[in-house]
Amino acid sequence: MKPIFTILFFAAFLHVRAQDADYYQKIYTKPIGAKPYNTESFLKKFGDVKVHDRWYVGVSGFVRNDKNTINNDFDELIGTESPTVSAWGVTAGWVFKEQWNVELEYDRSAIHNVLMIYGDNPLKYQMENDKNSLIVRGKMRLLWGKPSVRKSAFWISAGAGLVPNSGKSKDYMEFSGYREKGRRQGVDTLFMSSDTRIAPSMTGLVEASAEYVIKVAKTIDMSLFARKQWGMGNSLTTDLVYKVNGVETERARIEGDGSGWNFGISLRYVFHIGYDFSNLNHGGKI
């Protein structure tokens, strides 16, 4: 009988131990769905963990309207208009304490001249420069709520840029026609030439802009922006000569300096975020 009691004793002992193990396991097991703290959860829970700085790269697409000017219309024979075209750019930027931003942007965006020739069959010709520009801008966030916390917000900025120019001759065109002088007086032979050239040296741009930056995810931002640009020097020039019966009678010039509006959207990838934990180290909140 003694071996039987021994076996029963050990069985009861093991059963109690198993119950104790289950009991303690239920107390100390991490709740289902609980996540360990990371930097983002510190930001949300304690509020004293601030973004010190971050770096990003991005791409943008926009529509551009640039205004060109003409100084003579040859008695309303010719004219110009401001074209609206699509363009794109790439950016890199650094944000400091979610309040200041320095950004460098390369735009593949043309400055245009448009020649309109009116008559029974109106004609339109659009010329453009080398399409390159490089802009540096500084931005300031309009603060509402806690500073140094990354969230969707409005930003305003000012910038300046360079437009490299190749000095190339772009388009040379000639037009001819006839006009009656009157009854029994014959006709006039009309001739007009158009010569478009890109500036031989760099020109400049200055701009002011406003944008709303939306935090899409931890590493993705989206920006909706509007920019007003002013050209500093003509990047594209179209010279026109008007002749009647071989005699030059008038000249005109169309100039494009890049002044106009840009409206677009930008997507940015944040590849580095630096955090400031100094308040946590000294505030005794953890």
Side-chain angles (χ1 to χ4, degrees):
M1 295 293 291
K2 186 176 181 179
I4 294 176
F5 283 112
T6 303
I7 293 172
L8 292 175
F9 174 77
F10 276 107
F13 177 77
L14 292 174
H15 178 69
V16 172
R17 292 286 294 181
Q19 287 184 332
D20 290 344
D22 290 340
Y23 176 77
Y24 287 109
Q25 185 176 4
K26 289 177 183 177
I27 292 176
Y28 291 105
T29 300
K30 186 173 70 173
I32 296 175
K35 296 180 180 179
Y37 277 124
N38 56 25
T39 308
E40 292 294 318
S41 59
F42 269 120
L43 280 168
K44 294 177 181 178
K45 183 173 179 62
F46 296 102
D48 286 333
V49 182
K50 298 178 180 180
V51 177
H52 182 268
D53 68 305
R54 56 188 172 92
W55 291 85
Y56 65 84
V57 293
V59 294
S60 59
F62 54 93
V63 291
R64 173 186 176 85
N65 176 271
D66 59 308
K67 183 180 180 181
N68 46 72
T69 60
I70 188 169
N71 63 359
N72 189 3
D73 62 6
F74 295 163
D75 295 324
E76 299 184 351
L77 174 64
I78 61 173
T80 189
E81 66 177 16
S82 299
T84 299
V85 297
S86 59
W88 60 271
V90 293
T91 60
W94 177 63
V95 183
F96 180 65
K97 293 188 175 180
E98 295 303 311
Q99 297 178 47
W100 307 98
N101 183 193
V102 178
E103 184 176 85
L104 176 67
E105 179 168 25
Y106 165 76
D107 284 340
R108 186 67 174 166
S109 173
I111 295 173
H112 300 85
N113 276 355
V114 175
L115 170 62
M116 307 287 294
I117 302 177
Y118 305 115
D120 294 335
N121 298 299
L123 302 174
K124 176 181 176 179
Y125 299 92
Q126 184 167 294
M127 290 74 73
E128 59 187 31
N129 72 341
D130 298 314
K131 299 184 179 181
N132 301 313
S133 61
L134 191 65
I135 298 173
V136 177
R137 59 180 63 98
K139 302 181 183 182
M140 180 182 70
R141 176 180 151 197
L142 300 180
L143 288 175
W144 290 291
K146 294 181 179 179
S148 301
V149 175
R150 183 175 166 226
K151 61 180 180 179
S152 300
F154 282 100
W155 294 72
I156 56 174
S157 70
L162 295 174
V163 180
N165 297 299
S166 63
K168 294 180 181 179
S169 177
K170 287 290 292 183
D171 299 281
Y172 180 80
M173 297 178 288
E174 296 180 342
F175 309 89
S176 60
Y178 303 93
R179 179 181 62 188
E180 291 187 4
K181 293 181 179 180
R183 291 183 178 182
R184 300 179 183 179
Q185 294 183 11
V187 296
D188 287 328
T189 300
L190 310 178
F191 176 84
M192 186 176 70
S193 64
S194 170
D195 186 16
T196 301
R197 293 181 178 274
I198 298 173
S201 58
M202 286 191 299
T203 54
L205 288 171
V206 294
E207 70 166 36
S209 66
E211 62 182 316
Y212 184 63
V213 180
I214 303 168
K215 180 184 175 184
V216 178
K218 181 179 178 181
T219 57
I220 301 295
D221 285 345
M222 180 175 69
S223 166
L224 305 174
F225 61 81
R227 295 172 182 152
K228 173 62 176 176
Q229 294 182 327
W230 296 269
M232 308 294 288
N234 293 313
S235 176
L236 196 65
T237 302
T238 301
D239 289 306
L240 300 115
V241 177
Y242 186 57
K243 296 181 180 180
V244 178
N245 297 327
V247 179
E248 180 181 319
T249 59
E250 293 183 85
R251 284 180 172 264
R253 171 171 283 190
I254 301 173
E255 297 176 332
D257 62 6
S259 297
W261 285 93
N262 295 355
F263 300 93
I265 184 171
S266 176
L267 287 176
R268 300 164 185 168
Y269 170 70
V270 180
F271 62 88
H272 169 77
I273 302 178
Y275 294 96
D276 180 4
F277 296 95
S278 58
N279 287 350
L280 292 179
N281 293 336
H282 297 90
K285 291 189 176 183
I286 298 181

